[in-house]
Every structure is written in C-alpha cells, then in structure tokens.
Amino acid sequence: MTKRILLIVGGGIAAYKALELTRALRKRGHAVRAILTRAGAEFVTPLSLASLTGDKVYQDLFNLTDESEMGHIELSRSADLVVVAPATADLMAKAAHGLAGDLASTTLLATDKPVLMAPAMNVRMWRHAATQRNLAQLKADGVGFVGPGEGEMACGEFGPGRMAEPEAIAQAIDAALGALDAARPLAGLSALVTSGPTHEPIDPVRYIANRSSGKQGHAIAGALAAAGARVTLVSGPVGIPAPSGVQLVSVETAREMLAAAERALPADIAVCAAAVADWRVASDAAQKIKKAGHAPEPLALVENPDILATLSRHPFRRPRLVIGFAAETENVVEYARAKLARKGCDWIVANDVSPGTGIMGGDSNTVHLITAGGEENWAAMPKGEVAQRLVSRIAAEFAGA
Ligand code: C5P
C-alpha cells in the first residue's frame, strides 16, 4: 500500500543525499512531500526536490499561499511517517526542546505521526554533550534514528557524524512503516460506535435519562481509531471529550442516535455501547409543565427504536461485525446470551452493573464476552484496557484468526 512520507531536509552537505533518498522512496511506490529548511535550501534547490517528489516543496511557515492551500498542522498530519534527513544538530536541538520558530520545527512539534531522524553533522558536534543530551531526549520521546555512520567527513575530520546512506535510510523507513502497519491492524476499516446515555424530553426543561458516563464507549472508539479504523462516534450527552482521531456526532435522543448511526453506514464494525433509553414520552410538552396543585397526569411512554437490533438486521448495510452491550444486575451471562439471539448481533459484552460494583460511571469494568462460539470471562480491568482487549479481539476476527 502506498505510504506518505513527509521528508524534512535540513541544512548540511548531506542534503544532496535527500534527493537520492526521495528517488529510492518513490521507487518503492511511496508518495513523498518535502519541507526544505532555509539552511537546506543552501545545499539543494527547491526545484530539484520538487521534480523528484512530484509535489510542491514547502519552505515557509508564514507563506500565505501554503497556509491557504494546506496549513502547517495539516501538513504535519498528512503523512504516515515524518523523516528528517539530514537531521542537523540545530534541528535535533529544536525538536528536543519543542521550539517552533520555523516550518520544519513547527511540523515536528505539531505532528501526531512517528518521526525518524537521520543525523548528519561534524563529529565534534555529534559528540558534544548538548547533542547527546538532545539525542537521549528525542529517543525518550519516541523518535527513531538511523545512523550516523562513521567515516571521513566533508569537513576533513573523521568519526561518527556522516549521514546514513539513502538506501539504509530507506530500509529504516521500511522497518518503521512495517511496525506502523502492525500497530494499526484495523487500517482501511470503518467503525461506528454509540456511546453515552440518551436524553428523552418530557418538556423543554425536563428529560428522562440514565447514569451512563460514556467512558466505556468512548474508550472503545479511541482504541478503534488508534488501531487504524475510521471511527464515527455517535454520542449522547456526556461530560467527557471525544477521543482524538474520531469523528464525533453529538445527539440527544434515541431517535437522533439511530438516524446518526444509520447515516454512518456503511461501516465494517458497529459497537453499540450507548445506554439508550428504552422509552420516551409519547408527546413531549411544548411548554414547561406547571405545578397545578394536584399530581400531574401520568406520563404516557412509547418504545424507542432499538439501534443495535436495527443495525444487526439491516437489510443491505449490516456491518460485518455488530457488537452490543448488556448491563445486567443478575444472571449476567444467561441474559446476555438471550440478548445476543434477540438482537441479532454477533457479540455481546456483558457486565454486571448491580449497585455496589461501581461500574456505572466508574473507571473499571468486569465483563464477559459472549460470542456464538462461547464465552470469555475477563478479569476486572480499567475501561481503557477493556477497550484495548476488545479491539484486539476485533482485529483477530478481521485477520481471520
Ligand atoms: O436491551 P438492552 O437495552 O439491555 O440492550 C443493550 C444493548 O442494546 C446495548 O448494546 C445498547 O447500546 C443497545 N440498545 C440500542 N438501542 C436501544 C436499546 C439498547 O442500541 N433502544
């Protein structure tokens, strides 16, 4: 699969090798977009880089044309991997300290993608305590490194500081991209997650609701996105932020949630973690219901649509894997198995929410995964871990394991 590499070319004699690196990456079928620093432009021309990448070369943080076409934040996220070659002592220092005074350093600070650096500098600069400190800091921050190699340098000195050869950098890029794929087993798949409670209006100021916090559903949406899936999170009113990388659709009522869920189809995976109100008021009052000196009329309720059952039985857009939740206070597994059949979904994540378990609104969860084939009882663990584990099971399912 074509990968997108953002190549930052720093200033140094080794910059000419960035051209050969670009060629090697294009040969592998990757798309390369380049940022050329001011110092880098003293060694290679924007035109030669642009010819080899087949794209415009980005140079100036404050260039209005660049910002209108593609902002620096978008630029920093538009790639699968950011490569800095050559990574000068100056660029390493800036990145290690979080400086953001130009396009290259701003991009390194703003990116949410892995970064690989190929350092190139004079041997004394490389050995200097400051550079070694920066190197250690960058490694601790998760930056990968290839090189530098040892040998005679352009400045006539000898020792470590030579930039790795383009083919070695390309191989390090292959390895980094391979690791990336392994960490994103759901890349290319789309997922829909419902989360949180629904609010069913009684009148303009009152509503029927429940105690769902949305923590578990949101954690699942975040874990699916981290595994590479394109995620639409349809959430009722909650007090927590949407995880990064998901598309949030905020709704209030069950009917709005169903409409938003159906709009998110087709999807490969659906996880219905929302605590949807089973009932809504038959006709919510247009005006606030006033105290009348006597008990109000009983509220007439009508049943809400069942989102999980609707998705599970969708005539032409049923997601390949539909997962529901079951919050029970007794006979948890038995009731969950019956629910699996009743709703027509593939898996049920069942949890015991009896008072005293602290699960509702809490950070921890004890669940049972019910599938057609059997049942797994998971130990108590934080909701984030339940999400991770569920996503691993989903990935195994799609990998045919
Ligand atoms: O029937 P019950 O509410 O116990 O089922 C829980 C499961 O069904 C959860 O996955 C929940 O998100 C889903 N559900 C739904 N729409 C409803 C009721 C429940 O999607 N109206």
Side-chain angles (χ1 to χ4, degrees):
M1 203 159 84
T2 300
K3 288 286 173 10
R4 294 157 307 165
I5 314 287
L6 181 62
L7 175 64
I8 298 179
V9 182
I13 184 67
Y16 77 92
K17 292 190 196 168
L19 300 177
E20 215 178 311
L21 173 63
T22 303
R23 188 172 282 158
L25 294 173
R26 294 293 307 270
K27 227 189 225 160
R28 283 165 159 79
H30 301 321
V32 183
R33 181 169 272 161
I35 292 178
L36 184 60
T37 65
R38 189 180 302 239
E42 301 289 336
F43 295 89
V44 293
T45 66
L47 187 61
S48 45
L49 256 182
S51 319
L52 289 172
T53 58
D55 196 351
K56 70 169 289 191
V57 172
Y58 294 79
Q59 289 182 270
D60 193 352
L61 181 56
F62 301 108
N63 182 318
L64 283 180
T65 324
D66 285 358
E67 282 293 312
S68 62
E69 282 171 7
M70 173 172 333
H72 60 276
I73 301 291
E74 199 187 330
L75 184 61
S76 75
R77 313 251 162 104
S78 65
D80 297 297
L81 180 71
V82 180
V83 176
V84 190
T88 59
D90 180 65
L91 268 175
M92 283 177 63
K94 283 179 175 147
H97 292 272
L99 297 181
D102 58 11
L103 183 58
S105 54
T106 304
T107 301
L108 287 168
L109 194 62
T111 189
D112 58 353
K113 298 301 181 343
V115 177
L116 178 72
M117 290 191 172
M121 67 196 73
N122 167 275
V123 55
R124 285 188 191 284
M125 290 167 76
W126 175 252
R127 286 196 171 134
H128 195 285
T131 302
Q132 290 302 309
R133 260 198 319 272
N134 294 333
L135 174 68
Q137 182 61 58
L138 289 166
K139 282 185 174 170
D141 293 345
V143 174
F145 282 87
V146 48
E150 202 156 302
E152 190 160 350
M153 315 199 67
C155 52
E157 289 185 79
F158 188 89
R162 276 174 64 96
M163 187 167 88
E165 293 306 319
E167 188 51 37
I169 301 175
Q171 282 173 18
I173 290 171
D174 288 342
L177 292 172
L180 216 63
D181 280 345
R184 294 165 60 81
L186 299 181
L189 296 180
S190 56
L192 152 70
V193 179
T194 69
S195 183
T198 62
H199 285 185
E200 308 297 333
I202 297 170
D203 68 16
V205 297
R206 304 180 179 96
Y207 55 85
I208 300 174
N210 60 65
R211 293 188 196 281
S212 167
S213 64
K215 283 180 186 170
Q216 187 62 80
H218 277 51
I220 291 167
L224 285 166
R230 235 175 328 105
V231 180
T232 304
L233 171 62
V234 181
S235 175
V238 293
I240 54 173
S244 69
V246 312
Q247 199 191 338
L248 174 70
V249 182
S250 297
V251 297
E252 293 220 341
T253 66
R255 285 181 294 176
E256 287 168 8
M257 189 172 271
L258 174 63
E262 287 192 302
R263 269 199 307 275
L265 297 180
D268 298 293
I269 304 155
V271 183
C272 292
V276 184
D278 293 322
W279 304 91
R280 67 174 182 275
V281 177
S283 55
D284 55 313
Q287 303 299 333
K288 185 180 169 192
I289 301 169
K290 304 294 287 176
K291 246 185 287 188
H294 54 82
E297 291 293 307
L299 289 175
L301 300 179
V302 291
E303 201 168 350
N304 264 332
D306 190 314
I307 299 160
L308 175 60
T310 307
L311 296 177
S312 297
R313 304 220 156 87
H314 204 283
F316 53 97
R317 281 190 168 167
R318 184 193 194 277
R320 281 147 75 190
L321 182 64
V322 183
I323 306 173
F325 271 69
E328 305 289 356
T329 55
E330 57 180 353
N331 302 331
V332 178
V333 172
E334 190 191 324
Y335 284 172
R337 190 160 287 289
K339 193 163 290 175
L340 186 77
R342 199 168 61 245
K343 304 262 187 175
C345 58
D346 303 299
W347 300 353
I348 287 266
V349 180
N351 47 12
D352 184 346
V353 291
S354 4
T357 59
I359 284 175
M360 214 72 176
D363 292 320
S364 184
N365 208 351
T366 311
V367 310
H368 313 269
L369 181 67
I370 317 288
T371 67
E375 127 199 2
E376 295 171 22
N377 303 312
W378 296 0
M381 59 184 91
K383 288 181 176 173
E385 264 173 51
V386 171
Q388 297 280 0
R389 202 156 156 182
L390 186 64
V391 168
S392 301
R393 289 288 280 101
I394 293 171
E397 187 74 11
F398 277 86

